[in-house]
Amino acid sequence: MNKLFIIIPLLFFYVGFSQNNSFYGAFESNGVYYSENESKDFERKFKSNNYFNLNYLIGNRWKFDLQLESYLPGRLQNFSDMMEGNYLSTLSINYKTKKFDFSIGSIYEQFGSGLILRTWEDRQLGINNSIWGVRTSYESEKIDLKLLAGYQKKGREISTGKILGLDAEISLSEDFQFGLSYVGRLDNLDIPDIFPAVDYDFNELTNLFSTRLDYFSDSFYMNYEFIGKSKDGIVQFGKISEDFAKPGSAHSLNFGVFKSGFGFDMTFRRLENMGYFSDRFEASGDYLETSINYLPALTKQHDYLLSNINVYESQPYVSFQDPKLMKAGEIGFQLDLYYNFEKGSPLGGKYGTKLSFNSSLWNNLGGEFSYSNQDYTTSFFGFGEKYFSEQSLEISKKVSKDYNYILLFINRYYNKRLVEEKTGEVNSKILVIDNTLKLNNKRSIKFDVQHLFNSDDDKNWFGYGVEYNFNYNFSLYYSNIKNYQNIEKGKPSYYSTGVSYSKNTTKIIASYGKQRGGLICYGGVCRYVPEFKGISISLNTTF
């Protein structure tokens, strides 16, 4: 592997410059010096995650792609311990004609909305669940077919489970599309010291079947997707239950209306026992390394520090922690409403006004649960105990050619006992005022003030941030949030100051501060970050 780490980049450079073809790549480095940390393994130490990606195109048919990763002198905090040293992370060869596409190596793919299969990379979350195998597809005016098979990436290794997938998209008309998918996971249950010799009440092959229908017109769209999952073993307390096995299902309905200055979107989703991993034990893990399907939380993704306290993580799993804490999945909805008040109208003013409203509600599945028998029965539209709810209203207003503001109000309920399986319920309200003032054609200043009103949990928070942009390339910022009513924890504050510089395709960010511990979410998928203080440096460049 170390030889590959040296030889393959040299080969790419040689071929790239010896032929008149397209060659491009990227390098990203994220490092932290931990001056203070909850773990002695990180305190007063420097760690970094580094990614070097190369792509080479021969004409319009061949594409070669590889990614080298380095975690020296060690991985960043709360990334999988399987990320260590230097290694070849992904490698793929792709050949494409007008209708056919064939790939071997690292496969990134998505069927439908991803509820049945999605492999992707997110470096902020530490996820790269690509499939090491083969993929082929056929595309025509009426039908698109995909077939893939292989093993899934798990850190610098591959998982034990085998994956097989088949997807078909059929155009019924200009407005209608119909889709069918199948994904199977074959897991060996006869491995000594890993799976005991037990006659389990489920098969080694777990099957998922999906059907979906999409409709879209000039002002309306709708799509529905159903997934059925065959009986699957439940992982409880780090082991597979010998007799607790259940089928699963997913229902997703999304529709919306859009016209000039107006938009409405709503999604209803029901998940029951929909955790699906090529390595079963990852269902209770922290890193989602071998997740086969994509089940993000369907809530509004906020940009402000205090609005990202007590965020929701989707609950697709079966969990029987104790007689008072039994879950089988989630049911709920999210809706968005957008409206633009025209320029010159009473509410629009000289420059117009943008209004957006979001509401989401997520509950445990309603039904009958038996802890002693390790069993449950759910009703389709049954809403059980509430996990999370939120209503937010955002107003964006340009007052003059040099000044605009955003006013955001959030009302949130968070059931910490059910979502985190700890104790407590949190009712909070968050208010944010974000201002941007242009000083000239290049210089600007942004400043925001935030407050979190909370009579539960950690009580009230106050925060603010300032960002000064000298030009389009260089900026400085400072932010601070303080839990000023939390006397038990000494009224902690979390601050960060930093500088950002970009030139052409290169960007460098350096910062120093104290990071609040908690969930960090990207695209509705979350990971936990422990509290730390330190210096962070990030470099990102393409060529």
Side-chain angles (χ1 to χ4, degrees):
M1 185 63 70
N2 290 331
K3 292 181 179 179
L4 286 174
F5 190 81
I6 299 174
I7 294 173
I8 293 179
L10 293 176
L11 179 62
F12 267 69
F13 274 107
Y14 172 76
V15 176
F17 290 109
S18 62
Q19 302 288 336
N20 186 23
N21 294 302
S22 178
F23 179 80
Y24 60 95
F27 175 73
E28 180 178 337
S29 178
N30 300 300
V32 177
Y33 174 76
Y34 298 94
S35 59
E36 294 181 13
N37 198 273
E38 297 177 1
S39 170
K40 293 182 179 180
D41 294 335
F42 289 88
E43 190 169 35
R44 297 186 179 181
K45 294 180 181 179
F46 177 78
K47 307 289 184 181
S48 69
N49 295 359
N50 305 279
Y51 312 88
F52 184 48
N53 182 259
L54 292 170
N55 294 268
Y56 177 53
L57 301 177
I58 301 177
N60 57 1
R61 293 196 173 185
W62 288 94
K63 179 182 179 183
F64 298 83
D65 176 38
L66 71 82
Q67 181 165 295
L68 305 173
E69 297 183 10
S70 175
Y71 300 90
L72 293 175
R75 59 183 169 81
L76 293 179
Q77 182 177 222
N78 209 52
F79 282 76
S80 170
D81 55 10
M82 299 192 72
M83 296 178 174
E84 58 181 14
N86 305 319
Y87 62 92
L88 179 64
S89 173
T90 60
L91 173 65
S92 68
I93 302 172
N94 174 256
Y95 177 77
K96 185 175 183 179
T97 65
K98 185 176 181 180
K99 292 186 176 182
F100 288 93
D101 190 304
F102 179 80
S103 297
I104 184 170
S106 302
I107 308 299
Y108 294 97
E109 185 55 79
Q110 177 171 318
F111 292 173
S113 64
L115 283 174
I116 189 168
L117 180 140
R118 186 192 188 202
T119 57
W120 86 106
E121 181 186 25
D122 191 314
R123 295 170 185 172
Q124 300 293 330
L125 296 170
I127 292 177
N128 186 334
N129 64 340
S130 59
I131 294 173
W132 180 255
V134 295
R135 172 192 177 275
T136 185
S137 67
Y138 170 81
E139 181 178 348
S140 67
E141 293 183 1
K142 293 294 184 179
I143 187 169
D144 296 343
L145 299 174
K146 300 175 185 176
L147 176 66
L148 61 83
Y151 295 86
Q152 198 166 25
K153 184 179 185 297
K154 185 179 181 182
R156 59 185 302 164
E157 301 176 1
I158 58 174
S159 64
T160 57
K162 305 176 185 68
I163 299 174
L164 174 66
L166 175 65
D167 181 72
E169 287 275 2
I170 305 169
S171 296
L172 302 178
S173 68
E174 292 184 356
D175 300 330
F176 280 100
Q177 282 191 333
F178 178 69
L180 292 170
S181 299
Y182 165 80
V183 177
R185 175 202 60 197
L186 182 62
D187 205 358
N188 188 356
L189 299 179
D190 295 322
I191 303 176
D193 300 326
I194 298 180
F195 297 105
V198 174
D199 185 17
Y200 292 104
D201 188 28
F202 55 91
N203 298 322
E204 291 184 339
L205 178 62
T206 307
N207 302 302
L208 263 67
F209 295 92
S210 167
T211 181
R212 57 189 180 272
L213 184 65
D214 296 279
Y215 171 80
F216 45 89
S217 66
D218 293 337
S219 59
F220 177 77
Y221 60 88
M222 182 183 71
N223 61 76
Y224 170 73
E225 184 170 9
F226 165 74
I227 297 174
K229 178 185 178 185
S230 63
K231 187 182 290 187
D232 190 16
I234 308 298
V235 176
Q236 292 281 79
F237 307 108
K239 62 179 293 187
I240 300 176
S241 175
E242 297 181 13
D243 51 11
F244 192 11
K246 283 285 187 179
S249 64
H251 297 263
S252 176
L253 174 64
N254 172 247
F255 60 92
V257 178
F258 53 95
K259 293 184 178 181
S260 178
F262 172 78
F264 173 81
D265 179 89
M266 182 172 182
T267 300
F268 166 84
R269 189 174 74 180
R270 183 186 188 276
L271 304 177
E272 180 175 343
N273 188 23
M274 275 300 294
Y276 199 41
F277 297 81
S278 56
D279 182 342
R280 293 174 185 270
F281 290 99
E282 287 298 315
S284 56
D286 297 324
Y287 306 113
L288 301 176
E289 288 180 291
T290 62
S291 59
I292 299 174
N293 54 348
Y294 178 61
L295 306 172
L298 297 182
T299 59
K300 187 175 179 64
Q301 305 298 297
H302 297 288
D303 298 325
Y304 302 99
L305 293 173
L306 295 185
S307 63
N308 283 292
I309 295 178
N310 294 324
V311 292
Y312 179 65
E313 213 177 358
S314 65
Q315 303 292 304
Y317 313 114
V318 172
S319 177
F320 276 41
Q321 294 295 318
D322 61 57
K324 295 183 178 180
L325 185 53
M326 296 179 286
K327 302 185 291 184
E330 70 173 19
I331 184 172
F333 68 87
Q334 176 183 220
L335 66 86
D336 286 286
L337 178 65
Y338 307 93
Y339 192 81
N340 293 338
F341 294 96
E342 295 181 354
K343 298 177 182 180
S345 65
L347 295 178
K350 183 177 180 180
Y351 297 95
T353 302
K354 296 180 180 180
L355 175 71
S356 64
F357 173 77
N358 174 274
S359 179
S360 60
L361 171 67
W362 297 99
N363 290 53
N364 185 16
L365 297 181
E368 297 182 0
F369 294 79
S370 173
Y371 184 80
S372 59
N373 295 327
Q374 293 284 283
D375 197 11
Y376 66 87
T377 302
T378 60
S379 57
F380 183 82
F381 285 113
F383 279 69
E385 194 170 355
K386 187 192 296 185
Y387 289 135
F388 178 91
S389 69
E390 180 180 286
Q391 303 81 40
S392 67
L393 180 65
E394 180 176 302
I395 300 172
S396 178
K397 175 70 175 176
K398 185 175 181 179
V399 179
S400 67
K401 65 177 182 178
D402 296 322
Y403 172 67
N404 66 274
Y405 69 84
I406 296 174
L407 179 63
L408 172 66
F409 175 75
I410 302 170
N411 179 47
R412 178 179 294 167
Y413 168 82
Y414 181 75
N415 193 325
K416 185 176 277 191
R417 182 181 69 87
L418 277 179
V419 176
E420 299 183 16
E421 299 181 352
K422 295 180 179 179
T423 58
E425 298 178 41
V426 184
N427 293 275
S428 61
K429 293 175 175 57
I430 304 163
L431 182 63
V432 179
I433 302 175
D434 188 357
N435 308 270
T436 301
L437 178 64
K438 292 183 179 180
L439 304 178
N440 55 35
N441 290 334
K442 294 183 179 180
R443 298 193 177 196
S444 65
I445 184 170
K446 288 172 60 67
F447 56 97
D448 64 74
V449 179
Q450 312 171 37
H451 194 278
L452 188 153
F453 303 87
N454 184 8
S455 60
D456 311 308
D457 200 41
D458 291 332
K459 309 301 180 182
N460 286 1
W461 293 72
F462 173 76
Y464 61 93
V466 179
E467 179 181 322
Y468 187 85
N469 299 288
F470 293 88
N471 48 49
Y472 298 120
N473 306 107
F474 181 58
S475 64
L476 296 172
Y477 80 89
Y478 177 81
S479 65
N480 192 0
I481 57 173
K482 186 176 182 63
N483 194 190
Y484 67 90
Q485 279 194 332
N486 194 340
I487 300 175
E488 294 181 0
K489 295 182 180 180
K491 300 181 181 180
S493 63
Y494 303 93
Y495 55 89
S496 179
T497 183
V499 56
S500 172
Y501 178 78
S502 60
K503 181 70 173 179
N504 298 326
T505 60
T506 300
K507 186 172 185 178
I508 301 174
I509 301 174
S511 64
Y512 171 77
K514 186 176 182 181
Q515 170 72 52
R516 179 185 65 86
L519 289 178
I520 302 295
C521 302
Y522 298 91
V525 181
C526 306
R527 73 177 179 91
Y528 179 78
V529 175
E531 182 177 304
F532 72 89
K533 181 190 290 186
I535 301 172
S536 301
I537 301 175
S538 175
L539 169 65
N540 199 319
T541 186
T542 59
F543 54 88

